[in-house]
Amino acid sequence: MPVQPEHTRFKGIALPPNGWALAVLLVLYIFTGLIGHDPWKNDDAVTIGVVHDLVNNGQWLTPSLAGHPYPDAPLHYWVAAASSHLFAWILPVHEAARLANGIFTLLALAFIYFAARQLHGREQAPAAPLLLAGSIGFLFHAHEAQPMLATLTAHTAAYWGLSQFESRPLRGACCFGSALGLGFLANGLAPMLPLLPVAAFVVWRSKNRQRSALLLLASLLLASMIAGAWLAALLARSPDYLTDFWQLELTQLSGNAQAGLSLLNFATLLPWYAWPAFPLAGWTLWVKRRQLRSTSLALPIVAFLVTLAVISVCLGVRSAPALLLLPPLVLLAVPGVTSLRRGAANAFDWFSMITFSFFAVLAWVGWSAMVFAWPERLARQVNRLEPGFVGQFSWFSASFAVLATLVWCWLIVTSPRSPMRGIMHWMAGLTLFWLLIAMLWMPWIDYGKTYRPMSASLAKALPEKRGCIAGVNLADSLLASLDYFDGIRTVSPESPEGKDCAMLLIHGSPRTGNWHKIWEGGRPGERRDSEKLRLYRREAGRSGH
């Protein structure tokens, strides 16, 4: 009887992972942490604020934030609001809205799998979603309400479409056109611009350029119809909103004067942000250097370079737009996973196992300090960072965390030898780490990041008949949180209404003159004056700011 090859024996999860094992791992990673915490500062709070306004006021055509127009592409807000309606019976708006992000993220992972299968074959394709989900930068945004994730989904779908221009041209053109149009509705024109030169490159490389060019034109027409439906509705119903939206779009497209500096900053960001795809992509370039003209490698190379140039000029160095650099890096890194030399593959595997085992121990020790005040020195540090926090023991969270830790131990012991074992252990370890953070640390993190107690304190300080409140130096995330938690809205102090407001809410430096401070507050970790929020009342008989 012939000896069964080692990689086909059952030793834990088979590698490459089959569909069910891969799906369960990715679903567990994506949906853990989407619920169980309040809206957090920056994009998460802003997005949920827009969805909250959309759900309450029903202005689906023209999204707004805390009662003010918020000219932005609406697709992500539409899907999040629909998710909020669907799950309103069991979840609050902010948690139900984040489930839309989970859907977009899973779609992005599915499309990157299909694109990798088209470019590199079925055996290597599972590495693509593992590399994308396992990227450190992806972790930062995959579990927040983030419209850029919808754009990421559009990019991965577009790469899948472009990879089919030779084998299944009609389906590829339809997929690319739909992705382009929906991507515009997700985040505007600038994030989708890189796909146009990449599509032109695919047409130029095509064996039948005339057919591919016609298909590309058809796909652009399809994209224009999808995007134009919303723009035409705006023109008919809200032309002022359309004008503001296009003004913001043109501002982005005009670029910035420091594109070279942005490019340099991305070069320093990517090594950790795109780890482990970044070094594996570099290895692919080296080991496949004689095959760089092949479509499977040339497509992601061109896509990465064009995307890097466009976002450096139009979007600047921010963490969220850098997500768009991950799909081409991942597609380029896939061959590097299976071509790693045995020593390097084993080193990466051991690094993954040791790193996340160490992080798991740290997560458990930190949880012990928060809940049981042991170790004492660490417990004091925890209380210093978030004064007033009192940890509570949860049987459900602790049991789930124990189960996840045991599964991790089982996985690293039973995984069969395979070129994909390193990336599988990396993704599984990252999933374990995130599960432990979500199950054990989330109450402590949420305590320091939520605006809920501060908003409640401000609401109590406001008189019942308060009239309008002028707001100064209030970030969008703060406006969104105050409106979401307690229905507190402000107006611009420069507006006719704002000039006569008896109340003034200001973030940052104290206000002097004819204003009397009646309240001051902030989140527990905000101790500096520049971080405080203050409420003032105009002194009787005085006017103006």
Side-chain angles (χ1 to χ4, degrees):
M1 180 180 296
V3 179
Q4 189 177 16
E6 185 175 6
H7 70 277
T8 63
R9 299 175 189 168
F10 178 76
K11 291 186 177 181
I13 295 177
L15 297 178
N18 60 39
W20 283 108
L22 186 62
V24 168
L25 177 65
L26 295 176
V27 167
L28 193 62
Y29 170 72
I30 294 302
F31 283 94
T32 299
L34 290 180
I35 63 175
H37 66 85
D38 283 337
W40 288 349
K41 188 177 179 180
N42 296 328
D43 289 348
D44 189 59
V46 173
T47 303
I48 289 169
V50 175
V51 172
H52 169 66
D53 204 303
L54 194 65
V55 169
N56 286 342
N57 299 325
Q59 298 293 333
W60 290 73
L61 187 63
T62 55
S64 57
L65 177 66
H68 303 287
Y70 192 75
D72 197 7
L75 178 62
H76 182 271
Y77 306 118
W78 289 344
V79 177
S83 176
S84 298
H85 277 298
L86 184 62
F87 295 100
W89 61 280
I90 193 173
L91 293 174
V93 169
H94 63 276
E95 295 185 349
R98 288 197 200 97
L99 294 182
N101 274 59
I103 295 170
F104 279 122
T105 304
L106 283 179
L107 286 174
L109 296 174
F111 287 136
I112 201 70
Y113 170 84
F114 294 142
R117 188 174 67 179
Q118 194 71 31
L119 293 174
H120 304 298
R122 187 178 296 271
E123 286 296 313
Q124 299 186 66
L130 293 175
L131 285 168
L132 180 57
S135 297
I136 295 175
F138 187 84
L139 173 65
F140 285 100
H141 297 293
H143 302 96
E144 65 177 357
Q146 173 56 260
M148 192 59 74
L149 287 173
T151 312
L152 176 71
T153 304
H155 271 239
T156 55
Y159 292 133
W160 181 42
L162 291 175
S163 68
Q164 300 177 84
F165 260 51
E166 289 293 334
S167 58
R168 296 179 177 177
L170 184 58
R171 189 173 77 173
C174 290
C175 183
F176 178 74
S178 300
L180 202 61
L182 293 173
F184 173 84
L185 290 181
N187 225 315
L189 184 58
M192 304 307 295
L193 273 183
L195 295 175
L196 299 180
V198 177
F201 173 78
V202 170
V203 171
W204 178 71
R205 288 290 305 268
S206 175
K207 295 178 181 177
N208 190 335
R209 290 183 184 176
Q210 184 177 3
R211 182 192 65 182
S212 296
L214 290 175
L215 287 172
L216 178 58
L217 289 176
S219 65
L220 294 178
L221 179 60
L222 174 61
S224 300
M225 292 172 61
I226 293 173
W230 177 62
L231 297 176
L234 279 183
L235 182 61
R237 298 287 299 274
S238 302
D240 291 341
Y241 191 98
L242 177 61
T243 300
D244 292 340
F245 171 77
W246 272 117
Q247 186 60 48
L248 292 174
E249 290 291 298
L250 292 175
T251 300
Q252 279 192 334
L253 294 176
S254 64
N256 63 81
Q258 297 182 324
L261 181 61
S262 297
L263 195 63
L264 181 62
N265 289 335
F266 273 122
T268 59
L269 173 74
L270 282 174
W272 68 264
Y273 188 94
W275 176 275
F278 187 79
L280 286 169
W283 174 249
T284 299
L285 291 176
W286 170 253
V287 76
K288 304 282 187 180
R289 56 190 180 276
R290 300 183 186 277
Q291 305 171 33
L292 297 183
R293 294 186 178 182
S294 63
T295 301
S296 61
L297 299 180
L299 173 60
I301 290 173
V302 171
F304 173 75
L305 294 176
V306 172
T307 304
L308 179 61
V310 171
I311 66 173
S312 296
V313 172
C314 297
L315 303 178
V317 182
R318 292 185 292 117
S319 182
L323 285 170
L324 304 183
L325 294 171
L326 294 179
L329 274 177
V330 165
L331 292 176
L332 189 58
V334 165
V337 173
T338 54
S339 62
L340 273 180
R341 293 172 181 169
R342 179 173 297 182
N346 289 337
F348 177 49
D349 187 23
W350 277 102
F351 175 75
S352 302
M353 291 188 290
I354 293 172
T355 297
F356 288 109
S357 295
F358 175 71
F359 284 161
V361 172
L362 287 183
W364 278 107
V365 172
W367 172 76
S368 176
M370 287 185 284
V371 176
F372 302 112
W374 183 90
E376 294 183 5
R377 181 176 296 181
L378 183 58
R380 288 195 297 270
Q381 181 70 7
V382 167
N383 290 329
R384 187 187 70 82
L385 293 174
E386 301 296 350
F389 174 77
V390 178
Q392 301 291 331
F393 181 82
S394 167
W395 277 107
F396 173 79
S397 298
S399 301
F400 197 87
V402 168
L403 178 62
T405 306
L406 292 176
V407 170
W408 165 251
C409 295
W410 168 79
L411 182 66
I412 62 177
V413 169
T414 61
S415 294
R417 291 184 179 180
S418 167
M420 285 196 187
R421 187 165 71 169
I423 188 58
M424 183 65 181
H425 281 165
W426 176 270
M427 185 59 219
L430 190 65
T431 302
L432 169 70
F433 177 67
W434 177 242
L435 283 172
L436 294 181
I437 293 298
M439 292 295 106
L440 305 179
W441 284 55
M442 193 62 77
W444 182 78
I445 298 172
D446 193 37
Y447 177 83
K449 283 185 171 289
T450 180
Y451 283 110
R452 185 187 294 270
M454 184 194 72
S455 180
S457 175
L458 173 60
K460 290 181 181 179
L462 289 169
E464 290 186 11
K465 297 181 179 179
R466 58 178 179 261
C468 68
I469 305 173
V472 176
N473 198 30
L474 303 180
D476 285 345
S477 58
L478 191 52
L479 292 173
S481 298
L482 294 177
D483 180 44
Y484 180 71
F485 290 127
D486 293 287
I488 301 172
R489 293 185 172 184
T490 62
V491 298
S492 170
E494 305 302 326
S495 65
E497 183 185 9
K499 291 179 180 179
D500 294 326
C501 287
M503 311 292 289
L504 175 68
L505 187 63
I506 185 169
H507 184 240
S509 302
R511 177 59 60 101
T512 58
N514 58 321
W515 293 97
H516 173 65
K517 185 174 72 174
I518 60 175
W519 176 87
E520 179 179 280
R523 294 179 297 179
E526 296 174 338
R527 302 178 180 89
R528 293 177 295 184
D529 277 350
S530 61
E531 298 172 327
K532 295 291 185 180
L533 191 66
R534 297 174 178 86
L535 178 68
Y536 295 87
R537 183 176 56 226
R538 191 194 305 277
E539 294 181 356
R542 307 292 294 273
S543 62
H545 294 319

